[in-house]
Each structure stands twice: as C-alpha cells, then as structure tokens.
Amino acid sequence: NSLNGQEMNLVLETAMGVSAPLPVAVAEAKPTLLSVEGSPTEGFITMAGTDRLTVIRDVRGAGEPAQVEDLVVVRATGFGTSASEIASMVMKIRDIEARIETVSPDPAAAGVVQIFIRVPVAVGSGDAPVQMILRSPTGQTLTSNTVTMAIE
C-alpha cells in the first residue's frame, strides 16, 4: 500500500484563504546520514560538545579519531524526532549496534537531526562504516546510506 511514485495535490489553507492545488510526487522516506562537504563517505560526525570531526589525525587538525565509549554526534535527515521514530531507530558502527543516548533537532540546521551515540567497545580501530536502520510505522525497514568515522 505504498504511495511511492504516485502524484498528489498539495493544498495550503490559512486564515487568508486556500492555495491552488500543487501537484507533487510522493517519494519514499529515506533516512540519510550527512557527510562532510567534499567527501561522499566521510561522515559529518563530531565528538559530543565540540565541532571536532571523528577523522584520522592530519596536518589540518580538523578532528581526531573517536575512542571506544566516546559520545559522538551523527547528523542525519529524512525522518523526524517523535518518540516512535526514535524507538524504532538502530545505529550501527561496523555492524555493531551503538547505544543511542538522545536524538534532537540540530539548532544550527533546519531539517537536520543530531543522534548522540556511544562508540561500542567491540568496534575496533580504523575507518569504520556507520549506518542507520529505521522501522517505519507501516513496518517497512528503511536503511540509510553508509558513512565512515575514524576510531582508535
């Protein structure tokens, strides 16, 4: 019973009146983990409470690798922050489930959500793939893109 690919009419109604119908195509929800500008795979993942990226140390000094049990912030879009959406969310680092501490709107970017997660002990070191799995209210499993973060 998916509406994906179907066209619907969007009508805006306010105290001032009603808009003309605007045809829109319905697209399937797609949770997306954000990447660093200029990189299709390096995740926009920071150490909690800082703007330091979880990257391999380099001369730019833009960040540092995360360590096990660190609290990191993953930025994402394509879903909301309702209790039911958060309850159905799983974050994985190297296919190991990471504990979600909290999820909140990013105050610096409209439509972006901050997911605070703990780096699991068993995750190992090096560049690690990060992915989100979200179960929709209809029971459909939605899988995000994969980004990477550095762990040491």
Side-chain angles (χ1 to χ4, degrees):
N1 246 349
S2 172
L3 296 175
N4 189 33
Q6 293 185 20
E7 192 170 282
M8 300 180 78
N9 286 320
L10 177 66
V11 177
L12 179 63
E13 184 175 345
T14 68
M16 300 299 291
V18 178
S19 72
L22 176 67
V24 294
V26 177
E28 183 176 62
K30 178 68 175 159
T32 302
L33 303 183
L34 302 184
S35 59
V36 174
E37 187 175 343
S39 171
T41 59
E42 187 176 305
F44 185 13
I45 303 171
T46 57
M47 305 297 289
T50 76
D51 60 355
R52 299 193 50 81
L53 294 168
T54 57
V55 294
I56 294 174
R57 287 182 176 83
D58 65 13
V59 295
R60 295 177 296 154
E64 61 192 86
Q67 297 184 8
V68 296
E69 290 296 312
D70 276 350
L71 184 63
V72 298
V73 184
V74 180
R75 269 99 180 157
T77 191
F79 61 97
T81 58
S82 70
S84 63
E85 286 175 300
I86 294 168
S88 68
M89 180 188 303
V90 174
M91 293 295 298
K92 290 188 174 188
I93 302 174
R94 271 205 188 100
D95 288 325
I96 299 169
E97 194 169 321
R99 187 173 73 236
I100 298 171
E101 299 281 330
T102 188
V103 178
S104 62
D106 187 335
V112 176
V113 174
Q114 297 176 322
I115 307 164
F116 291 75
I117 62 173
R118 288 270 169 211
V119 177
V121 172
V123 81
S125 62
D127 273 348
V130 179
Q131 192 170 46
M132 175 199 306
I133 300 164
L134 191 64
R135 177 130 358 245
S136 76
T138 61
Q140 182 181 14
T141 300
L142 306 172
T143 304
S144 75
N145 59 316
T146 300
V147 296
T148 60
M149 65 180 286
I151 301 171
E152 70 176 16

